Structure formats: structure tokens, C-alpha cells
Amino acid sequence: MLAIARASPPPNDDPFVFPKCTTRRHADELHAHLLTSGVLLHPSTTSRLIFHLCSSPSPPLHLLANRLLPLHPNVDPFLYNALIKASSNGSNPLNALLAFSLLLSSGVSPDPFSFSLSLTAAARASSLSAGSQLHALILKTGLSLNLYLQNVLISFYSKCGLYMAARQLFDRMPVRDSVSWNSMLDAYVRSGKLSSALELFYAMDDDEKNLISWNSMIGGCARSFNGIGIARQLFDQMPAHDSVSWNLMIDGYIKQGMIDEALELFDKMPKRDVIAWASVINGYMDAGNVELGRRLFDEMPERDVIAWNIMITGYAKNGMLNEALLIFIKMQVEGRIVPDDTTLVTALSAISELGRISLGTRIHKYIRMKRLSMSGKLGVALIDMYSKCGCLEEALQVFETSGMQTVDHWNAMIGGLAMHGFGELSLELFAEMKRRSLKPDDITFIGVLNACSHSGLVEVGLACFKSMIKDYKLEPKVQHYGCMVDILGRAGLLEEAVRLIEGMRVQPNDVVWRSLLSACRNHGNIEIGQKVVTSMTECDKCRSSSYVLLSNLYAGCGMWGDATRIRMMMKDEDFRKIPGCSWIELDGIVHEFVVGDNSHPQAQQIYSILLNLCTVEVNIS
């Protein structure tokens, strides 16, 4: 690896050029080169080298700077501060505190910036103990009256949720500036103490209130329950507004479901930015007014990735999955905006529901090409998409290559295998998950119980259900009870299923009842089936599909009069059953089929082939 050129110090205007350094081994090679090249013999060059290492976005280069600093003969706090700042911006802010410890062990006296950067890192890491130790050290070093550090300390305690500690500091300050007041306001707002924040705000002199003060109060009130009216009063009292003020009020109205008020402010806004447009569009999409949301989206002068994500997510939430994918494709065609993880996860979710596997594989290729991490939600979405589209080999491949697997990765794979009847393999995966000391959650057990249901593993299912409650202290949800009713119902243990429902800690929903009713039909138990329908009717859970199940139960037992009576009652009550629907993707085209529908141009050929297949099946049996 070639790093810094020669032993002689480079000119002041020549920047250091580093090779690609992404691993600790690369940093070791670069360190060896620096030692052998003689670059470190020049203090001024070493100082500039360390500064450039700290300025790099590469964590291994920060590690190298950490090694070089103790070797520097004339180090001042400036270089340590650069290292602390670089470390605090990384994935682990506590590394900044290690750099601060290195500063102390080297005999260098920290300056206010050293403390400020370290306190910021402690706040990011939510480390109250580290911040308290820094506070104690500030008192010992005689910097306790430094106004800049006092403001940083108020901000630190605010971000840790200790508004009372922040207020004690604030009250003891001999001199305060606008930052002091705003930091204290922020501490109250973060803690939800709006009455205290308003009291402090009105105690401020008018010349101390700036845009940050007003916006902090508006944002806090707008986010609180029943606080939107106070936020609007403050907004109207402001001597001047900026874009943040307008956006806080618009977003506040949107969050409260007051779309008309939000649109009124949006129309009055002198210069609308992309945040304002996105907020109003999101409001319309959340309210189900997709048409108006799309109209505003099309009128946007410029769009960022957040605006596109709002449209894709909005369509998906409103059940318009094809439209969600069309807007995603439109985003790709325009090509000006790069999709982020949220974009891809939402698109993959829509694909998994529609079975558009060809588009899903294209997204997977894009993820590989861009080398995007699959250790988070993106990997989970890919596993889920492949599983729901029936491509279990591809799902397993993504699962195995996703890097640091989370519980969500395991849940997606366990649920995917269970969905397709691979119950035993799903349970093996669950056992392996426990061997790796990963704690299963409620979603894990839904997948496991589904696996037991589809494989007829009654005893295993009962054991898992008990283990969930006893060993993992998880409260069963209605979905878990539904799985257990299905397990018992498939095995013909209808009395046990009834007792389970009667002992549920939550109200049974229509899925639980219909699962039991379906089991009654399969096992011809009319007595329990009639009780189930009565219970469903009493709790207003009875739907058309439930009456169809009861009618089929009567018919299966030869009670044709009762079956006809149920059908006639459905007709009199105008109950309509949503017809079954399925679709298949062929050569990139999705074909949709509805029960009794002959609208497909090749319907006659399709039904002819299906009829032949059914005939062959009958002849074989």
C-alpha cells in the first residue's frame, strides 16, 4: 500500500492522499509504511498527517491517528480535539471518550472544546455516567464558570432527560446568553414539561427571544396532545417566521389530523420548501385521499427521496400496491434521486404482496451492485419477499449472507419456511436461533406456532406456547391464540380449542372464531359449530364467510335443509362474500383471476387445461 509520499515534508498546499482504507489490516499496512518511510520524523508533517487522518470518514484511519498521537513530541489539544470529533461522529460515540482518556493519559490539558466534544459524544451515547465524570472534571479544572461549557452541560442533561439537573445548572449561572435560555427551553420541551417551558419562555426578555426560542416552543406545543392551539397562538405572535416555523405548524396540524388547517397555512407560506410539500402530501396519503396527494406530488417543483418514499408508502398503506410499484418505477426512470433503504424496503413489501418476483430480483441485483448492507431492514425485506413469492432457496441464500443477523432476519426465515409447510426445518432454525443466544420475540413464536400447525405437531406447539409464557415472559397476543386454535382444530381437539378461547386474556377476533368454525366443518362437529356462530353473532364478529362455513358444515353432515336456511338468510340479509382472487406473473405481466370471472382473453384455454388436470388427478386416484 502506498500512502504518504516521501520522508521529506510535503509543501503546505499539498493535501495528503490516502489509499483505500476500509479494514484494520489496511490501517496496519499504512502504519508500517509511515514508520519505514521516515515521515514521522518531522513533527510538523506528523501534525498535518494526524489532522488529515482525523478528517477522513474512514474509522480505520481514526484508529491509526489514535496510534500516532502518543508518538508526537509536541502535541497540543487541537489534534486530540480533531480525533475526539471524528470519533464522536462514528457509529460508536464512546470511542470519542476513549480519545479523551488518551488525551489525559498523555499529560495534555483539555481545553473547553475537548470537554464540549466529549460531552456531545456522551449525549449521543446516552451515557450519563461518562457525562457526570466529565462534569466533575470540569469543576476540578476550574472551567465551571465557562459560559460555553455551562451551555453544553445544560444540553447534555437535557438530552439525557434530566431537566431538573439542567435547571439547577441554569439557575446557578451568573451570566446567561440566548443559548442558555434556548438550551433550557429545549430541556423542558424534550421532557414534555410544556407548562414549565412556557413559563420560562414568557420570563425571557424580548431581545433574548430569537427564532430558535420561538420554534422550540412551537414545535413542542404542536407535538403535544391538545397543544396545537397554543402553537398557533405563538406562531401568530412571532415577529418574523422562517421556513422552520411554517413547517413545524404544518406538520403539527398534519399530526393532529387537521388537514384543512395545514393546507391553509401551506397556501399562505411565502416560499414553500420540499419539507412543506412532503408534509401536506403525507397528510393526504394518511387520510386516504390518495388522489389529492398525487396531484400535489405532481405539482412539486423539485422532489427529494423523502417525497418519493411518502408516495410509495402512501399507496402501499392504502392497498394500492400496483400504484406503489409504478411510482417506484417512475422514480427509477427519472433517475435523479437515488433510492434509500426505506424506498427499497417499501417496494419489496409491495412486491411480496403482489408476487412480482421479476421486479424483486432486479431490486436484489441493484442492492448487490451498490453493495448495500443487508444486516438491517433491507435484508429482512428481501427474505420476506422471496419467501412470500415461493423462492425459498433464494430466501435462505439472503439469510445466510446477510452478515450480522438480527431477530427480525430469523423471524422472516422461520415464518417463510412455516408458510410453505416446511415446519420441521422452521423448528430446526428456531432451535439454532436459541443456541446462538438470540432472544425470540412475539413474532418469532407466531412463525413457530404456524410451523407446528402446518406440520400437525400438536405437542410441540403446546410446549412452545407454554415456553413463550413461562420462559420468555411474553404475553400471548390474539395471533398466538389463533395459531393454537388452528393447531388444536386441525388435530380434532375441538373441546380443548374451545377451552383455550374461553381462557384467552384478550378478546378473540373473527379470525380465531373462523379458525375454530373451519375445524368444526372439517371434523363434522355441528354442536360446537352452532355455538361458535352464536358467540360470533353476540360479539358482532360474524361475517359472510362464517355463514358460508356453517352452511358447508350442515351440507357436509347431510343437513341440507339447515344449509339452505343459512343460504337464504344470507340472501335476505344481503350478505356478500368477497370472491376469491389469485394472480400469477408470467414474462413480467401479472394475470389476475377472480372466482367465476371469464374476462381474461385466454379464459377458455385456461379452464380447459384446468379441467384436464382435474380429470387426470381423479383418474390417478
Side-chain angles (χ1 to χ4, degrees):
M1 292 190 43
L2 185 60
I4 327 299
R6 307 289 172 224
S8 57
N12 289 336
D13 56 348
D14 280 350
F16 289 100
V17 178
F18 300 110
K20 184 178 181 181
C21 189
T22 56
T23 65
R24 184 162 185 163
R25 180 178 177 181
H26 291 161
D28 291 340
E29 292 174 352
L30 180 55
H31 190 192
H33 175 78
L34 292 171
L35 291 172
T36 57
S37 65
V39 169
L40 302 180
L41 297 176
H42 304 275
S44 61
T45 305
T46 305
S47 297
R48 293 178 56 231
L49 169 62
I50 293 171
F51 180 75
H52 281 280
L53 288 170
C54 293
S55 303
S56 167
S58 173
L61 292 181
H62 302 161
L63 179 65
L64 180 54
N66 210 337
R67 294 183 199 166
L68 297 180
L69 265 170
L71 304 176
H72 197 292
N74 305 313
V75 176
D76 57 20
F78 173 77
L79 290 177
Y80 279 102
N81 291 346
L83 180 59
I84 294 169
K85 182 178 181 181
S87 302
S88 68
N89 292 330
S91 58
N92 186 4
L94 290 177
N95 288 335
L97 302 178
L98 294 176
F100 182 83
S101 300
L102 182 64
L103 177 151
L104 295 176
S105 64
S106 301
V108 178
S109 298
D111 62 10
F113 292 106
S114 311
F115 284 110
S116 169
L117 293 166
S118 300
L119 282 166
T120 302
R124 273 197 66 206
S126 300
S127 177
L128 181 61
S129 60
S132 301
Q133 292 177 60
L134 288 166
H135 189 181
L137 193 56
I138 288 171
L139 294 172
K140 286 184 178 181
T141 53
L143 293 172
S144 59
L145 295 179
N146 183 287
L147 179 61
Y148 172 68
L149 280 182
Q150 287 177 320
N151 291 337
V152 174
L153 280 167
I154 291 174
S155 178
F156 164 74
Y157 285 117
S158 164
K159 290 174 181 175
C160 289
L162 299 175
Y163 69 92
M164 293 183 68
R167 185 58 194 255
Q168 287 177 353
L169 274 170
F170 180 80
D171 289 339
R172 292 171 184 168
M173 293 177 69
V175 179
R176 306 184 186 106
D177 60 4
S178 60
V179 177
S180 313
W181 289 91
N182 290 336
S183 298
M184 196 59 236
L185 283 175
D186 183 65
Y188 279 132
V189 169
R190 282 176 180 269
S191 301
K193 303 295 179 180
L194 286 180
S195 57
S196 300
L198 285 166
E199 182 182 347
L200 186 70
F201 178 76
Y202 286 120
M204 294 174 66
D205 294 333
D206 288 340
D207 57 346
E208 290 173 329
K209 297 174 184 174
N210 54 22
L211 277 170
I212 296 174
S213 316
W214 287 97
N215 289 338
S216 180
M217 290 306 308
I218 289 172
C221 292
R223 288 190 297 269
S224 69
F225 182 70
N226 289 336
I228 192 69
I230 300 173
R232 183 56 189 263
Q233 289 176 13
L234 291 168
F235 180 81
D236 293 337
Q237 292 169 11
M238 282 183 74
H241 305 99
D242 63 356
S243 60
V244 176
S245 317
W246 289 93
N247 288 330
L248 285 171
M249 277 307 306
I250 292 171
D251 184 65
Y253 278 131
I254 293 294
K255 293 287 185 1
Q256 299 291 333
M258 304 169 70
I259 188 69
D260 292 336
E261 289 81 354
L263 189 59
E264 177 193 353
L265 270 187
F266 179 74
D267 291 335
K268 291 179 180 178
M269 193 171 178
K271 188 176 181 181
R272 302 167 188 161
D273 58 14
V274 67
I275 299 174
W277 283 93
S279 294
V280 177
I281 292 170
N282 189 45
Y284 277 123
M285 300 302 278
D286 283 346
N289 199 334
V290 178
E291 190 175 326
L292 276 177
R294 179 56 188 268
R295 188 185 304 169
L296 279 175
F297 178 78
D298 292 337
E299 293 173 3
M300 283 184 74
E302 58 176 326
R303 308 180 186 115
D304 62 0
V305 68
I306 296 175
W308 286 96
N309 288 347
I310 286 171
M311 287 303 302
I312 297 169
T313 305
Y315 274 130
K317 282 183 177 178
N318 284 283
M320 304 172 70
L321 300 175
N322 279 315
E323 288 78 2
L325 293 182
L326 286 173
I327 202 76
F328 171 71
I329 294 169
K330 178 180 173 66
M331 177 185 181
Q332 297 289 98
V333 170
E334 292 193 6
R336 293 192 296 271
I337 302 295
V338 177
D340 62 8
D341 282 10
T342 302
T343 319
L344 300 174
V345 167
T346 309
L348 286 169
S349 177
I351 289 166
S352 67
E353 295 298 324
L354 292 174
R356 297 283 298 273
I357 186 64
S358 59
L359 183 55
T361 54
R362 289 207 297 270
I363 292 178
H364 191 185
K365 288 178 183 177
Y366 175 85
I367 291 169
R368 286 201 299 260
M369 182 181 68
K370 297 294 182 181
R371 297 183 179 180
L372 301 178
S373 173
M374 290 193 291
S375 60
K377 292 182 178 180
L378 199 53
V380 177
L382 267 176
I383 295 169
D384 187 62
M385 184 273 297
Y386 277 127
S387 297
K388 287 182 176 176
C389 291
C391 303
L392 290 179
E393 289 186 9
E394 289 80 356
L396 283 165
Q397 184 181 16
V398 173
F399 174 75
E400 291 168 356
T401 59
S402 56
M404 294 292 292
Q405 297 161 338
T406 64
V407 173
D408 293 334
H409 288 80
W410 290 84
N411 290 348
M413 200 63 251
I414 290 170
L417 291 168
M419 182 194 310
H420 292 283
F422 293 94
E424 293 184 0
L425 185 56
S426 181
L427 292 171
E428 287 178 17
L429 208 60
F430 176 59
E432 178 64 23
M433 177 184 177
K434 291 191 291 185
R435 280 195 292 270
R436 298 193 185 190
S437 300
L438 276 169
K439 185 178 179 181
D441 57 17
D442 56 338
I443 299 175
T444 315
F445 280 101
I446 291 174
V448 170
L449 294 175
N450 267 324
C452 295
S453 174
H454 293 162
S455 301
L457 303 172
V458 181
E459 296 299 325
V460 177
L462 287 169
C464 287
F465 186 71
K466 292 176 182 177
S467 174
M468 178 183 75
I469 300 170
K470 183 179 178 181
D471 300 332
Y472 296 99
K473 312 302 180 189
L474 293 171
E475 188 71 23
K477 296 182 179 178
V478 69
Q479 294 92 335
H480 300 106
Y481 285 112
C483 292
M484 286 306 303
V485 169
D486 192 51
I487 290 173
L488 296 170
R490 286 172 184 260
L493 304 173
L494 302 181
E495 295 287 349
E496 289 85 343
V498 171
R499 285 196 294 270
L500 180 71
I501 295 175
E502 290 173 348
M504 284 177 61
R505 302 176 187 177
V506 292
Q507 188 71 24
N509 62 6
D510 58 321
V511 176
V512 173
W513 288 116
R514 285 206 307 272
S515 180
L516 179 56
L517 185 57
S518 178
C520 292
R521 183 200 63 181
N522 294 335
H523 294 281
N525 194 318
I526 297 173
E527 182 182 355
I528 294 180
Q530 289 174 326
K531 290 180 180 178
V532 169
V533 173
T534 302
S535 299
M536 294 177 73
T537 305
E538 289 175 354
C539 60
D540 199 25
K541 300 288 185 184
C542 209
R543 298 184 180 179
S544 59
S545 56
S546 305
Y547 286 110
V548 171
L549 285 171
L550 182 61
S551 173
N552 291 340
L553 170 60
Y554 284 137
C557 296
M559 301 172 64
W560 299 107
D562 291 299
T564 303
R565 176 174 56 81
I566 294 295
R567 292 285 180 174
M568 292 301 296
M569 185 189 72
M570 289 180 63
K571 185 176 181 181
D572 293 339
E573 297 291 336
D574 197 26
F575 280 150
R576 298 180 184 272
K577 185 178 183 299
I578 299 174
C581 175
S582 63
W583 54 85
I584 186 171
E585 182 180 1
L586 183 64
D587 297 330
I589 301 173
V590 177
H591 301 267
E592 185 177 29
F593 299 94
V594 179
V595 172
D597 180 25
N598 293 303
S599 61
H600 194 280
Q602 295 175 289
Q604 288 187 350
Q605 297 94 311
I606 292 169
Y607 285 120
S608 174
I609 292 173
L610 283 173
L611 183 62
N612 289 333
L613 289 173
C614 293
T615 304
V616 170
E617 186 177 344
V618 170
N619 289 338
I620 291 175
S621 60

